[in-house]
Amino acid sequence: MARIEGVPAQRASWLARLVYWMSRRMVGKVPEPLTIAAHNPSVFRAYVGYEYFLAKAKRVDAKLKSLAGVKAAAMVGCPF
């Protein structure tokens, strides 16, 4: 649980609402780090840009990237 509350969709900017919608389609819910990053627009844009370009990277097989993400999440105890 985070120390601060995330930005709800009703108070979010148009970009945050778009990203919330996309993450709901991809993951099933909006991850908490995403809602917390939405407090600062420049940090939010950088975070979303990083995730976008990371997903577009083609040097490593998509299955291997997914497996590495699951392993890293398991090591730190992340529910995603």
Side-chain angles (χ1 to χ4, degrees):
M1 179 170 202
R3 291 185 284 170
I4 61 174
E5 292 292 322
V7 177
Q10 296 81 14
R11 289 191 3 227
S13 67
W14 66 270
L15 177 62
R17 288 180 189 180
L18 175 67
V19 173
Y20 286 5
W21 176 78
M22 289 175 62
S23 70
R24 259 189 242 104
R25 283 192 61 182
M26 292 171 56
V27 181
K29 62 181 180 176
V30 180
E32 190 175 29
L34 195 62
T35 63
I36 292 171
H39 279 288
N40 187 328
S42 43
V43 170
F44 183 73
R45 283 191 302 271
Y47 180 68
V48 170
Y50 170 75
E51 291 291 337
Y52 173 76
F53 286 113
L54 185 63
K56 290 295 220 182
K58 299 292 183 197
R59 289 203 176 186
V60 178
D61 185 35
K63 288 181 182 180
L64 185 59
K65 280 196 296 188
S66 178
L67 182 61
V70 169
K71 178 64 175 177
M75 289 175 71
V76 298
C78 179
F80 288 97

